[in-house]
Amino acid sequence: MTSELDIFVGNTTLIDEDVYRLWLDGYSVSDAVALRVRSGILEQTGATAAVLQSDTMDHYRTFQMLERLLHAPPKLLHQLIFQIPPSRQALLIERYYAFDEAFVREVLGKKLSKGTKKDLDDISTKTGITLKSCRRQFDNFKRVFKVVEEMRGSLVDNIQQHFLLSDRLARDYAAIVFFANNRFETGKKKLQYLSFGDFAFCAELMIQNWTLGAVDPQADDMDMDLDKEFLQDLKELKVLVADKDLLDLHKSLVCTALRGKLGVFSEMEANFKNLSRGLVNVAAKLTHNKDVRDLFVDLVEKFVEPCRSDHWPLNDVRLFLNQYSASVHSLDGFRHQALWDRYMGTLRGCLLRLCHD
Amino acid sequence: MPGKLKVKIVAGRHLPVMDRASDLTDAFVEVKFGNTTFKTDVYLKSLNPQWNSEWFKFEVDDEDLQDEPLQITVLDHDTYSANDAIGKVYIDIDPLLYSEAATVISGWFPIYDTIHGIRGEINVVVKVDLFNDLNRFRQSSCGVKFFCTTSIPKCYRAVIIHGFVEELVVNEDPEYQWIDRIRTPRASNEARQRLISLMSGELQRKIGLKVLEMRGNAVVGYLQCFDLEGESGLVVRAIGTACTLDKLSSPAAFLPACNSPSKEMKESPLVHPPSHGCRSTHNSPIHTATGSRLTQNFSVSVPTLIYTGMGSGSAGKEGGPFKALLRQQTQSALEQREFPFFTLTAFPPGFLVHVGGVVSARSVKLLDRIHNPDEPETRDAWWAEIRQEIKSHAKALGCHAVVGYSESTSICEEVCILSASGTAAVLNPRFLQDGTVEGCLEQRLEENLPAGCGFCHIPYDELNMPFPAHLTYCYNCRKQKVPDVLFTTIDLPMDAAVIGKGCLIQARLCRLKKKAQAEANATAISNLLPFMEYEVHTQLMNKLKLKGMNALFGLRIQISVGENMLMGLASATGVYLAALPTPGGIQIAGKTPNDGSYEQHISHMQKKINDTIAKNKELYEINPPEICEEIIGSPIPEPRQRSRLLRSQSESSDEVTELDLSHGKKDAFVLEIDDTDAMEDVHSLLTDVPPPSGFYSCNTEIMPGINNWTSEIQMFTSVRVIRLSSLNLTNQALNKNFNDLCENLLKSLYFKLRSMIPCCLCHVNFTVSLPEDELIQVTVTAVAITFDKNQALQTTKTHAEKSLQRASTDNEELLQFPLELCSDSLPSHPFPPAKEHLESASSNSGIPAAQRATSVDYSSFADKCSSWIELIKLKAQTIRRGSIKTTVTVEKASPVGEGNFRNRSAPPCANSTVGVVRMTPLSFIPGAKITKYLGIINMFFIRETTSLREEGGVSGFLHAFIAEVFAMVRAHVAALGGNAVVSYIMKQCVFMENPNKNQAQCLINVSGDAVVFVRESELEVVSTQQPAATCQPSCTGGEVTT
């Protein structure tokens, strides 16, 4: 006796959250059944393995049919084939677009191309996430990217509108799209200590301040691309380190203000010129795409690592950065105050976030 | 020009990409009705076209309006080649033809293609202007309402129930026409879909005409089926019950009929003797078809284990003056009609007087080509023959009517089994008198029809019984005789007194059969049928006893025929009727008593069986009051004390003459283990696993013993097909496979729906078919309904209490205690007993409202209940000593009643972009009232694929198709303005596959009633007032203390 056909169709589509998770995690039906057996469900319900097998198959089939709709979540809301309560629809979408931290760290900043897709095998082996799940996550990134790429308006809003994600998840996707578009390097060994959350935080600040959208809410690609003009203008900041008088004045202003307040004052004083040079040079280099990509590498090399080697407490970093940016306003010879604020305001936030172990 | 049909095509969405180059579609729409076609403009390059067309107007006869479906085809415009079809929508405009139903059909319909499934949606608006005068048009029957529901629809009142209507139409099956060889599968499928749609329309119109002829205005319990006879054609047939219905307009309309006390009987429907013959076609002589036509008929009357052959002759002698009178009257009214059949399964109060038992008839026929579709005499004659037989069986049971009547077929190649079954019954003669009421008779009748047991009383003459049975005096009223078991095809009457809960009972059976051709095949089948029927009944009886129950409701026996086997599947809901005697146990008797180990084995089995019975009694809360024995002081009989009866006709019929009360109790059912076969039987008896705790199942509308449904429902269809290993198939192996298939299917359902616990699977409908040589297909449709566990406990208490009260009544009689007020006045309709208690508590015991309000501690609820059980036990003791103190129980019950109200308010439905449409096979929606019936939904779909593997194999294909069918049903209901389908049924699901060719095809036929329902919370005020009034007498009864 072999089962040829075995289906269950409810007027309201049954969604088993546990099975959905297993499916999203890319387990095959037999693996999923084994995992469910291990969870002790048979003992709880008195069911047999055959029942579990049939149930899992059914759910997998339903999910496969739903997957097509999940690729365009508004379709899931308007379709007539599956009657699913709204709360369940939201759950289906949210879980489908959720991603693994380990995976996103591998892909963040990479071009979402076929080439990267080929590397998913390696990522799968490295992270222990099934290839299937990697593919889904990668395809999700790519799909969201494609849809919002050419759109006007706020990146987060666009994502939310077209994929019906929660605010939190939409922000994460905005970061992923922003990183993918600007191809920021995140994979270097130096950057391994940073979490996706760190990058997402920086991305949000950069989107808010450094993109076209920050100045013109009607611009195409407003939130995706950095403001080219702004990057060009950043060259002007070079004078802060090139002009020796200005640099000395800056240093003395900062040191005067911070004397007695920093635990690492002497280290700061000794390192001031190096740090300032580092930060200003990073700004000046941002005209080249290559250097934009290395932004985070540079920030870590030029600022985070020196601070770390001198064991700066986070609070000292904050005090220093505040003073460092504010003091520029007292430099009479410096004319690019607004530019400086746009640059340093964001950078300060990023650096503080990047300064941890 | 009696009607103008107006159609507007508004827009489309989610259309498929038809032009690969642009990834877009240039869509336009053709709107066709009859022979007229209109087209919209082409909407270029869009997957979401906005046609916003003008109103397309069709001026048509109302006859066409009834027959023809509106056909909407969406196409992709192609300048250079033929336009490609995207898909179609068929809209049945019948609901627009009667005034009370829908006025407009407007909404998004899935665009359906028989090859690709649903491809996007289209927004359509349809209206009909009728200028007709009903009298003028003889061929149309606009205005006659159709209901699939097998009871009087909730917001109507039956004025007259006229009786049976039937019709069938035949045609050639397009799939088998010569043209099919040259046309595409799509064209062939569409021709078939269109033809069946057309035939359904015609059939419905013809039935409507008959109803008008009978002066009715509606058909209730309308059941339409189609038989795919292959080469020999396509038959669409329908049966129903003609009625004259009145729409209830007052708020009382929302109250279920069961709430009305018996005094309202005058408002109950009258069975109206038709003034003119309702049928004509049947009078034609039996048309003998070319070649040999086999009429191997046989039939069975239940309740009996003994297979009774055809016709036990005429009805028995009249048993007494009253019975004679009753019989005469019934006869006079019903004999005039050719078939006094009713497709209803639930009745207005007072309609059903006695139930005789199940009557069924089967007949094996050889199909041959239908030569003239306009004269379907052969098929008509076949059915007439069967109906005649049913009628004579009913007569043999002393009944003049058949209720819960249904017909079905099973076809394999050229052999066809026609089956009909129903429940022989006696209907209230007063209602047959057409208005004239005879005072004295009425009085007598009401005296003789105590609520809750009247229908169990035998309608036949006990001295001339049609079959051997044990009769006892009714355990409820003690006045009339009742059988020891009762099988019926109807739902449990609302007022029936039941102890404990019910459960689904199934008998499953396979029989191998040699492959044969034509006549030889038919003969082989008809030879096997009696044995199958016999075994199915034996199994049912055994399982019933094993459950400790004594009656079956909703019995449906399906016998399916395949190439090399026959399958029998009987489903029913077992209950313990308080009026019937306690069933005896099952006794096992061995043939070789001298063998020691064998003896031991037997006794081991016996113990197992006894344990199972005890366990089941506990599980289903069957604890009938021990009456007579205890009163006289005799102990409960030990199993060994039971008299050993052999299952033999002569012996048991000898017993009949000496009936007395003790008999029913002691009679044990003996299973003789004389060979391995019997051993298997016993084993299979014990393999049925009860559902996991928190689950109940039944195949009737409502679950006896549960009535506190909460609003969550989940209707589902599950299909399984298994392939049997063809090697060395034996009957036993086959039986085991089939049994496992059904059991596993049930287990899967329980597992899948575990999140709904506590819940009950209602209206569990199994259908079995044998699509191919080694394939068995089982299709199940049912609805899972959640219920409130707390209330459930409470309800069972109520039942227990009811039986106690009944016990007290019995005591009264026997012990000469004049407890007038404590008579059986508690209305035993199982509707809202909890509420009754609440009301009684507040009305008579004078407990301050505040006190009641404080006791809403749910955590300690179980404790309260158990203490309540104790209390009842205590009370039972007291009753025996002749004193009753009911007031205490009433007080205790009040907090539970409070709980009721709280749990009743369902969480508000969350909004969604697509309106939720509920579907249920039941005639009601728990926690809601149906306010409007919008018309019948009757849809037929074909789906075919030539890329089976790509669509996920057979499972993927069928899963998607069934989901699509649900979607299309919901879309049609929503377009009619409804929010639910009740009495939903999947009448056919024919699945064929050819994996080698990567092909599969499936045909599905579904129907139901589109309705509008309103949540009960909005009507709470109205519904709570009524029970208060009706239970008043019982309240006063409860206060008496002796």
Side-chain angles (χ1 to χ4, degrees):
Chain A
M1 181 176 93
T2 50
S3 204
E4 282 273 301
L5 185 158
D6 179 3
I7 56 158
F8 174 99
V9 191
N11 182 37
T12 305
T13 307
L14 278 187
I15 310 283
D16 185 312
E17 288 183 41
D18 297 335
V19 184
Y20 189 46
R21 199 178 292 278
L22 291 170
W23 179 73
L24 288 175
D25 288 346
Y27 292 105
S28 66
V29 173
S30 52
D31 288 348
V33 170
L35 283 166
R36 292 182 83 187
V37 169
R38 230 171 292 158
S39 78
I41 195 164
L42 294 186
E43 290 75 21
Q44 282 165 33
T45 57
T48 61
V51 165
L52 207 58
Q53 168 83 20
S54 136
D55 180 65
T56 312
M57 283 286 280
D58 244 342
H59 284 300
Y60 266 55
R61 212 179 304 116
T62 308
F63 298 143
Q64 267 152 28
M65 284 191 255
L66 283 170
E67 190 165 22
R68 186 178 55 84
L69 298 163
L70 283 166
H71 289 168
K75 267 193 188 166
L76 185 70
L77 261 65
H78 293 284
Q79 54 84 30
L80 303 174
I81 298 179
F82 302 97
Q83 187 159 276
I84 305 170
S87 61
R88 288 265 138 172
Q89 286 180 343
L91 178 128
L92 284 174
I93 296 167
E94 194 76 5
R95 292 263 177 89
Y96 189 77
Y97 283 91
F99 49 81
D100 291 305
E101 166 87 22
F103 176 79
V104 75
R105 277 299 277 109
E106 293 297 322
V107 182
L108 193 66
K110 285 194 181 143
K111 197 175 175 187
L112 300 174
S113 63
K114 287 214 173 93
T116 315
K117 198 167 180 180
K118 277 184 196 134
D119 300 337
L120 291 181
D121 290 20
D122 299 336
I123 296 178
S124 169
T125 330
K126 192 176 162 192
T127 58
I129 298 164
T130 60
L131 183 59
K132 232 176 146 190
S133 178
C134 289
R135 290 220 176 99
R136 170 182 60 85
Q137 297 181 42
F138 181 82
D139 289 342
N140 282 345
F141 296 166
K142 194 171 174 181
R143 193 176 317 110
V144 174
F145 185 93
K146 287 265 174 227
V147 168
V148 299
E149 198 178 18
E150 312 260 291
M151 266 176 199
R152 284 159 187 260
S154 146
L155 189 56
V156 178
D157 288 353
N158 285 339
I159 292 171
Q160 236 174 335
Q161 196 189 328
H162 287 89
F163 292 92
L164 310 171
L165 303 179
S166 69
D167 189 55
R168 179 69 260 150
L169 198 54
R171 280 168 199 280
D172 286 349
Y173 267 90
I176 291 163
V177 167
F178 182 73
F179 266 66
N181 189 49
N182 292 291
R183 313 266 301 281
F184 292 114
E185 174 62 55
T186 64
K188 283 263 164 61
K189 209 168 178 188
K190 278 188 178 120
L191 302 179
Q192 284 310 311
Y193 78 101
L194 291 170
S195 71
F196 170 73
D198 296 334
F199 287 115
F201 178 85
C202 299
E204 198 169 340
L205 283 178
M206 287 157 82
I207 292 169
Q208 272 163 18
N209 299 300
W210 288 4
T211 58
L212 280 172
V215 267
D216 174 14
Q218 286 308 307
D220 285 341
D221 305 340
M222 48 171 271
D223 281 356
M224 297 273 275
D225 294 333
L226 293 169
D227 183 351
K228 285 267 156 22
E229 246 175 80
F230 163 68
L231 297 182
Q232 282 294 336
D233 292 346
L234 284 177
K235 273 189 183 157
E236 307 291 339
L237 301 180
K238 226 170 172 176
V239 71
L240 283 172
V241 285
D243 186 329
K244 197 158 181 316
D245 295 343
L246 218 50
L247 182 61
D248 286 339
L249 187 58
H250 192 188
K251 181 181 172 182
S252 68
L253 281 169
V254 173
C255 289
T256 320
L258 291 178
R259 194 179 303 275
K261 289 180 189 161
L262 283 195
V264 287
F265 183 77
S266 54
E267 289 90 337
M268 187 275 286
E269 199 172 22
N271 251 333
F272 181 85
K273 284 187 181 171
N274 272 337
L275 291 174
S276 184
R277 249 184 228 118
L279 292 177
V280 173
N281 283 335
V282 165
K285 282 201 301 180
L286 285 179
T287 38
H288 306 288
N289 279 340
K290 165 85 183 62
D291 293 311
V292 170
R293 283 180 211 168
D294 285 338
L295 175 68
F296 289 95
V297 182
D298 290 344
L299 289 177
V300 168
E301 264 177 18
K302 300 275 155 49
F303 187 84
V304 178
E305 285 183 344
C307 290
R308 194 186 288 153
S309 65
D310 288 343
H311 306 290
W312 288 38
L314 189 60
N315 203 38
D316 286 4
V317 177
R318 180 175 299 115
L319 284 170
F320 167 75
L321 282 173
N322 287 346
Q323 203 51 49
Y324 176 75
S325 353
S327 301
V328 170
H329 297 289
S330 313
L331 297 173
D332 291 335
F334 185 67
R335 290 169 293 121
H336 306 284
Q337 303 292 355
L339 187 67
W340 173 254
D341 283 347
R342 187 176 175 189
Y343 173 68
M344 214 42 218
T346 301
L347 206 67
R348 192 176 60 207
C350 294
L351 287 172
L352 279 171
R353 179 81 190 213
L354 299 181
C355 277
H356 66 82
D357 295 327
Chain B
M1 197 200 324
K4 193 188 263 178
L5 172 68
K6 299 192 293 183
V7 184
K8 185 182 175 120
I9 306 297
V10 183
R13 67 183 183 195
H14 307 150
L15 294 189
V17 170
M18 296 301 281
D19 181 1
R20 286 273 153 236
S22 67
D23 263 4
L24 289 166
T25 298
D26 304 326
F28 70 101
V29 182
E30 273 183 13
V31 185
K32 191 177 175 198
F33 190 82
N35 294 319
T36 317
T37 308
F38 292 102
K39 279 182 194 177
T40 65
D41 296 333
V42 177
Y43 196 93
L44 290 171
K45 302 198 185 309
S46 173
L47 298 183
N48 300 292
Q50 305 289 321
W51 291 289
N52 226 338
S53 77
E54 57 186 299
W55 284 100
F56 300 121
K57 293 176 182 128
F58 300 88
E59 294 173 340
V60 279
D61 283 346
D62 49 357
E63 186 182 337
D64 286 343
L65 280 175
Q66 284 193 295
D67 288 6
E68 295 269 350
L70 175 67
Q71 185 181 321
I72 293 166
T73 314
V74 186
L75 298 113
D76 176 51
H77 177 74
D78 204 324
T79 322
Y80 304 106
S81 60
N83 299 325
D84 295 323
I86 295 174
K88 285 184 190 247
V89 179
Y90 290 98
I91 301 177
D92 179 11
I93 47 169
D94 211 50
L96 294 178
L97 301 182
Y98 42 90
S99 52
E100 290 151 48
T103 52
V104 63
I105 298 177
S106 165
W108 288 100
F109 291 90
I111 302 167
Y112 181 73
D113 179 70
T114 60
I115 305 295
H116 295 101
I118 290 177
R119 305 170 97 189
E121 291 122 37
I122 184 168
N123 195 318
V124 182
V125 185
V126 186
K127 284 181 180 173
V128 172
D129 290 338
L130 275 184
F131 327 123
N132 62 341
D133 166 4
L134 278 179
N135 297 332
R136 261 173 52 209
F137 305 100
R138 302 224 172 88
Q139 289 310 302
S140 85
S141 55
C142 289
V144 174
K145 292 181 278 286
F146 284 80
F147 300 92
C148 295
T149 302
T150 56
S151 56
I152 302 302
K154 292 289 183 294
C155 46
Y156 289 91
R157 184 178 69 96
V159 182
I160 303 169
I161 297 177
H162 300 277
F164 193 58
V165 278
E166 53 73 41
E167 186 61 82
L168 65 79
V169 289
V170 296
N171 211 314
E172 266 186 278
D173 191 338
E175 186 102 340
Y176 294 87
Q177 282 165 344
W178 66 269
I179 196 167
D180 207 58
R181 289 179 202 160
I182 54 166
R183 66 181 165 191
T184 62
R186 175 182 285 121
S188 161
N189 290 340
E190 282 174 2
R192 240 172 150 191
Q193 280 193 171
R194 203 182 118 71
L195 179 71
I196 289 196
S197 185
L198 210 61
M199 286 167 79
S200 306
E202 184 190 340
L203 193 69
Q204 215 169 311
R205 175 174 57 83
K206 285 187 171 170
I207 292 245
L209 276 175
K210 289 186 174 179
V211 173
L212 289 178
E213 231 175 277
M214 293 161 92
R215 307 243 170 95
N217 66 1
V219 182
V220 179
Y222 184 67
L223 178 70
Q224 188 205 73
C225 293
F226 63 87
D227 301 327
L228 297 170
E229 294 187 351
E231 289 281 335
S232 61
L234 192 61
V235 176
V236 184
R237 58 193 163 77
I239 55 174
T241 306
C243 294
T244 302
L245 298 182
D246 243 6
K247 184 144 171 80
L248 292 168
S249 47
S250 66
F254 305 125
L255 288 168
C258 63
N259 246 357
S260 54
S262 53
K263 272 143 225 155
E264 279 174 29
M265 271 187 186
K266 285 193 191 75
E267 294 208 347
S268 297
L270 304 165
V271 173
H272 188 71
S275 43
H276 29 248
C278 53
R279 293 193 75 264
S280 48
T281 37
H282 272 299
N283 296 335
S284 58
I286 293 168
H287 205 84
T288 314
T290 47
S292 60
R293 198 171 63 82
L294 271 159
T295 50
Q296 292 277 2
N297 296 346
F298 86 101
S299 50
V300 164
S301 302
V302 193
T304 172
L305 266 173
I306 290 85
Y307 159 63
T308 56
M310 276 194 56
S312 324
S314 62
K317 287 176 226 138
E318 316 299 52
F322 170 65
K323 259 192 184 161
L325 188 60
L326 189 144
R327 186 149 294 149
Q328 273 166 18
Q329 285 173 343
T330 325
Q331 212 150 358
S332 61
L334 285 170
E335 291 252 299
Q336 290 170 25
R337 54 192 81 187
E338 193 172 8
F339 296 110
F341 296 169
F342 300 87
T343 54
L344 303 178
T345 57
F347 312 91
F351 186 75
L352 193 67
V353 180
H354 298 308
V355 168
V358 170
V359 284
S360 73
R362 290 181 210 282
S363 158
V364 183
K365 302 288 184 192
L366 269 186
L367 299 171
D368 54 90
R369 190 173 277 279
I370 298 168
H371 293 282
N372 184 0
D374 291 330
E375 287 182 32
E377 272 122 357
T378 322
R379 302 300 184 277
D380 244 349
W382 288 357
W383 286 110
E385 226 172 83
I386 287 217
R387 288 170 191 145
Q388 205 61 53
E389 210 171 302
I390 289 275
K391 193 178 166 186
S392 76
H393 286 319
K395 229 177 202 169
L397 285 170
C399 297
H400 293 276
V402 176
V403 293
Y405 180 73
S406 67
E407 295 175 347
S408 63
T409 57
S410 172
I411 297 171
C412 180
E413 303 285 308
E414 64 219 314
V415 176
C416 173
I417 303 182
L418 309 183
S419 312
S421 74
T423 305
V426 173
L427 305 177
N428 197 330
R430 186 167 63 86
F431 298 144
L432 304 171
Q433 288 296 314
D434 198 12
T436 58
V437 179
E438 285 166 52
C440 68
L441 175 64
E442 191 184 344
Q443 280 260 304
R444 286 208 52 178
L445 255 176
E446 269 162 27
E447 264 171 43
N448 282 290
L449 291 174
C453 66
F455 74 94
C456 306
H457 302 161
I458 53 161
Y460 37 84
D461 182 0
E462 62 182 272
L463 297 175
N464 192 1
M465 286 199 301
F467 48 82
H470 299 270
L471 298 183
T472 46
Y473 278 105
C474 173
Y475 274 50
N476 195 12
C477 67
R478 303 263 150 210
K479 287 176 187 136
Q480 303 280 322
K481 293 281 177 77
V482 292
D484 53 350
V485 280
L486 187 63
F487 284 15
T488 74
T489 58
I490 56 172
D491 268 346
L492 185 70
M494 282 296 203
D495 57 356
V498 172
I499 293 173
K501 294 196 169 68
C503 75
L504 181 72
I505 290 179
Q506 283 195 322
R508 303 154 188 147
L509 190 67
C510 298
R511 279 287 168 273
L512 284 170
K513 157 184 97 63
K514 285 216 175 66
K515 276 191 190 179
Q517 290 301 306
E519 264 175 73
N521 194 16
T523 315
I525 292 169
S526 44
N527 287 341
L528 270 173
L529 279 179
F531 295 99
M532 293 199 61
E533 198 101 24
Y534 174 79
E535 278 195 44
V536 163
H537 284 130
T538 313
Q539 251 190 57
L540 280 176
M541 193 66 99
N542 285 338
K543 288 191 178 178
L544 185 67
K545 298 216 174 224
L546 204 61
K547 293 278 191 300
M549 298 175 184
N550 57 19
L552 286 181
F553 286 89
L555 177 64
R556 196 167 153 266
I557 303 174
Q558 200 199 348
I559 294 201
S560 311
V561 56
E563 290 266 283
N564 57 349
M565 63 178 115
L566 284 173
M567 310 280 281
L569 180 64
S571 307
T573 302
V575 292
Y576 186 104
L577 284 177
L580 265 47
T582 313
I586 297 174
Q587 201 85 6
I588 295 184
K591 270 280 167 165
T592 46
N594 295 328
D595 187 347
S597 66
Y598 189 72
E599 272 289 87
Q600 205 178 0
H601 180 67
I602 294 279
S603 67
H604 177 68
M605 296 271 272
Q606 180 70 60
K607 190 177 171 299
K608 244 170 126 181
I609 286 181
N610 291 348
D611 288 351
T612 314
I613 295 178
K615 221 183 284 167
N616 280 329
K617 279 189 174 174
E618 199 178 317
L619 183 63
Y620 299 107
E621 295 158 35
I622 300 167
N623 33 14
E626 298 291 344
I627 340 162
C628 24
E629 281 84 359
E630 279 182 66
I631 292 159
I632 351 167
S634 76
I636 304 161
E638 293 292 306
R640 60 188 150 77
Q641 281 181 305
R642 288 176 185 157
S643 61
R644 288 203 164 204
L645 282 181
L646 280 178
R647 190 176 62 191
S648 103
Q649 184 170 359
S650 56
E651 269 196 49
S652 47
S653 50
D654 283 346
E655 304 271 342
V656 173
T657 46
E658 29 174 334
L659 287 165
D660 65 81
L661 281 176
S662 56
H663 239 108
K665 187 111 211 154
K666 287 176 187 164
D667 128 41
F669 199 69
V670 180
L671 276 185
E672 241 181 80
I673 304 192
D674 42 9
D675 55 13
T676 41
D677 261 23
M679 211 59 164
E680 287 289 326
D681 288 350
V682 176
H683 274 300
S684 69
L685 263 184
L686 294 167
T687 52
D688 280 11
V689 204
S693 81
F695 260 112
Y696 293 94
S697 54
C698 63
N699 77 334
T700 47
E701 281 253 306
I702 48 157
M703 175 70 173
I706 301 178
N707 43 40
N708 39 287
W709 306 112
T710 45
S711 55
E712 197 187 338
I713 62 170
Q714 167 71 290
M715 189 282 296
F716 59 85
T717 292
S718 186
V719 184
R720 275 196 192 185
V721 176
I722 56 159
R723 185 176 290 280
L724 302 160
S725 46
S726 52
L727 299 162
N728 305 329
L729 265 185
T730 59
N731 278 334
Q732 275 95 346
L734 211 52
N735 275 335
K736 189 174 177 315
N737 279 333
F738 184 37
N739 219 21
D740 288 351
L741 171 61
C742 295
E743 283 292 317
N744 289 339
L745 187 46
L746 280 170
K747 272 184 214 157
S748 266
L749 298 181
Y750 296 139
F751 181 75
K752 279 201 173 293
L753 299 162
R754 66 192 185 283
S755 66
M756 293 180 79
I757 286 178
C759 98
C760 178
L761 299 186
C762 293
H763 214 286
V764 179
N765 187 7
F766 271 72
T767 40
V768 57
S769 57
L770 300 157
E772 264 171 66
D773 248 9
E774 273 113 26
L775 293 185
I776 303 178
Q777 178 190 332
V778 173
T779 310
V780 186
T781 299
V783 63
I785 312 182
T786 54
F787 62 88
D788 196 316
K789 207 164 191 178
N790 295 350
Q791 286 186 339
L793 282 170
Q794 206 273 333
T795 326
T796 38
K797 299 299 117 59
T798 316
H799 276 284
E801 201 208 28
K802 264 184 218 161
S803 45
L804 275 171
Q805 286 226 345
R806 223 162 287 121
S808 71
T809 320
D810 296 329
N811 286 340
E812 226 178 283
E813 283 174 6
L814 291 156
L815 303 174
Q816 308 285 310
F817 275 122
L819 293 173
E820 280 172 61
L821 286 167
C822 201
S823 66
D824 204 20
S825 58
L826 185 90
S828 42
H829 37 75
F831 186 58
K835 267 192 235 161
E836 282 172 21
H837 279 281
L838 174 68
E839 293 302 332
S840 49
S842 56
S843 59
N844 70 42
S845 54
I847 305 165
Q851 190 188 326
R852 280 184 285 130
T854 51
S855 45
V856 279
D857 181 9
Y858 293 108
S859 57
S860 65
F861 184 78
D863 294 343
K864 269 182 200 157
C865 282
S866 58
S867 67
W868 205 46
I869 297 172
E870 292 303 312
L871 204 76
I872 284 184
K873 282 181 188 160
L874 201 73
K875 199 179 100 177
Q877 299 290 325
T878 347
I879 288 172
R880 265 170 229 136
R881 270 178 264 118
S883 75
I884 299 176
K885 212 178 171 190
T886 326
T887 347
V888 188
T889 30
V890 170
E891 272 175 63
K892 284 280 178 185
S894 69
V896 187
E898 281 289 317
N900 275 357
F901 286 103
R902 233 141 277 238
N903 292 320
R904 187 178 289 271
S905 57
C909 265
N911 283 334
S912 152
T913 0
V914 181
V916 173
V917 174
R918 285 170 197 277
M919 292 168 74
T920 171
L922 308 177
S923 67
F924 67 98
I925 296 187
K929 296 289 177 226
I930 293 166
T931 54
K932 198 174 179 188
Y933 282 79
L934 299 167
I936 200 168
I937 296 280
N938 188 9
M939 298 168 99
F940 171 78
F941 298 104
I942 301 178
R943 181 87 152 78
E944 188 165 347
T945 184
T946 47
S947 50
L948 189 58
R949 270 189 297 278
E950 294 77 359
E951 292 191 36
V954 287
S955 294
F957 170 72
L958 195 61
H959 191 145
F961 183 37
I962 292 179
E964 285 174 342
V965 169
F966 286 0
M968 287 184 277
V969 170
R970 287 193 302 256
H972 276 78
V973 173
L976 285 168
N979 56 5
V981 190
V982 295
S983 300
Y984 168 82
I985 174 174
M986 184 176 280
K987 290 178 290 192
Q988 229 134 355
C989 178
V990 185
F991 178 73
M992 288 155 285
E993 57 168 324
N994 190 340
N996 299 331
K997 283 190 177 170
N998 205 17
Q999 287 175 344
Q1001 193 192 34
C1002 185
L1003 295 82
I1004 286 183
N1005 183 207
V1006 296
S1007 67
D1009 295 326
V1011 300
V1012 181
F1013 73 85
V1014 182
R1015 285 257 156 251
E1016 206 161 51
S1017 46
E1018 295 157 44
L1019 297 157
E1020 190 98 288
V1021 192
V1022 188
S1023 54
T1024 44
Q1025 276 162 0
Q1026 185 68 14
T1030 48
C1031 76
Q1032 206 61 40
S1034 68
C1035 302
T1036 32
E1039 251 188 338
V1040 175
T1041 310
T1042 36

